[in-house]
Amino acid sequence: GQQVQQSPASLVLQEGENAELQCNFSTSLNSMQWFYQRPEGSLVSLFYNPSGTKQSGRLTSTTVIKERRSSLHISSSQITDSGTYLCAMEGNYAQGLTFGLGTRVSVFP
Amino acid sequence: DAGVTQTPRHEVAEKGQTIILKCEPVSGHNDLFWYRQTKIQGLELLSYFRSKSLMEDGGAFKDRFKAEMLNSSFSTLKIQPTEPKDSAVYLCASSGTGGGGEQYFGPGTRLTVL
């Protein structure tokens, strides 16, 4: 079945540092999304990015379909960026999202 | 526009009880998904509806889990009978396109089975 590998599992940053989160997929993908999970559990969609590069503020997502990978870049990290980031893919048969286990980001002053 | 809504936000059940979780998708969305999140397994797909038709019934979850879409704006997930291992956060999501569109998630229901 489809597998999604996320790395690193956790990341500790000093405020102002940049970070790159990675996602690798075992099968070809139809679409993928990056989410931020709030402490109480709700999911915020950051990017719907089936291919190419998208930017929103200090966040940039890049998906390379041929290489079956996607990355999320955080620039000039802030304390409020702390939390869990999840990537998810939908395969070619569009049967729902398969999620990675997440990257827990902690930003300290 | 209202996003995806889920009720209740928290549910506590005794082992063996029947519980029903509810979800209202974004108005006009055709696809509806139920997911479960645990610390060990992460997020897993339970069920998937497209235009009210069940497309995916969750494989390993079929036994005691039943999702229904009574109309285009309301879905339920029934767990019967509940077991302590069902303790998890249950998330509902919807998307607007027929396959492979951005999914929007509700706030989730945290279920605790004693």
Side-chain angles (χ1 to χ4, degrees):
Chain A
Q2 298 167 163
Q3 290 188 343
V4 179
Q5 300 291 335
Q6 251 188 281
S7 61
S10 62
L11 197 54
V12 178
L13 301 168
Q14 189 163 27
E15 197 173 15
E17 286 184 326
N18 299 331
E20 184 134 314
L21 284 56
Q22 297 287 347
C23 209
N24 290 283
F25 310 107
S26 63
T27 63
S28 54
L29 65 154
N30 185 41
S31 68
M32 70 84 53
Q33 280 183 257
W34 282 96
F35 295 91
Y36 170 74
Q37 187 159 38
R38 294 191 176 116
E40 83 274 14
S42 60
L43 290 175
V44 178
S45 179
L46 298 174
F47 292 102
Y48 172 71
N49 187 16
S51 67
T53 298
K54 292 191 175 181
Q55 183 176 1
S56 176
R58 295 179 296 102
L59 301 179
T60 303
S61 168
T62 299
T63 298
V64 184
I65 293 180
K66 281 196 298 188
E67 296 177 14
R68 296 182 183 174
R69 63 175 177 84
S70 184
S71 63
L72 179 68
H73 184 84
I74 305 172
S75 64
S76 303
S77 60
Q78 299 179 358
I79 294 172
T80 51
D81 294 332
S82 298
T84 299
Y85 293 79
L86 293 158
C87 68
M89 67 163 285
E90 190 160 44
N92 288 332
Y93 296 100
Q95 296 287 345
L97 293 171
T98 301
F99 282 82
L101 292 179
T103 295
R104 183 181 292 273
V105 174
S106 302
V107 184
F108 294 94
Chain B
D1 272 344
V4 177
T5 59
Q6 288 186 250
T7 55
R9 294 296 308 277
H10 301 273
E11 178 80 62
V12 179
E14 297 282 339
K15 178 183 172 181
Q17 272 188 283
T18 296
I19 62 104
I20 297 177
L21 310 181
K22 299 165 189 168
C23 174
E24 295 178 30
V26 173
S27 177
H29 277 187
N30 295 323
D31 292 356
L32 184 138
F33 306 84
W34 283 99
Y35 295 89
R36 181 175 83 166
Q37 185 174 30
T38 60
K39 285 188 178 169
I40 295 175
Q41 298 292 338
L43 270 146
E44 303 170 286
L45 178 71
L46 297 175
S47 291
Y48 163 35
F49 293 89
R50 176 176 298 168
S51 299
K52 299 190 294 180
S53 296
L54 182 63
M55 308 297 290
E56 170 63 51
D57 64 0
F61 296 100
K62 281 194 312 191
D63 190 26
R64 296 176 296 106
F65 291 71
K66 183 174 182 181
E68 291 184 307
M69 196 145 187
L70 306 178
N71 56 55
S72 61
S73 58
F74 185 69
S75 177
T76 58
L77 176 66
K78 181 192 286 187
I79 308 176
Q80 178 183 35
T82 52
E83 296 182 6
K85 65 181 180 180
D86 299 331
S87 297
V89 176
Y90 291 81
L91 291 154
C92 177
S94 69
S95 70
T97 59
E102 184 172 9
Q103 291 188 25
Y104 297 86
F105 280 74
T109 296
R110 184 174 295 275
L111 172 65
T112 303
V113 183
L114 305 175

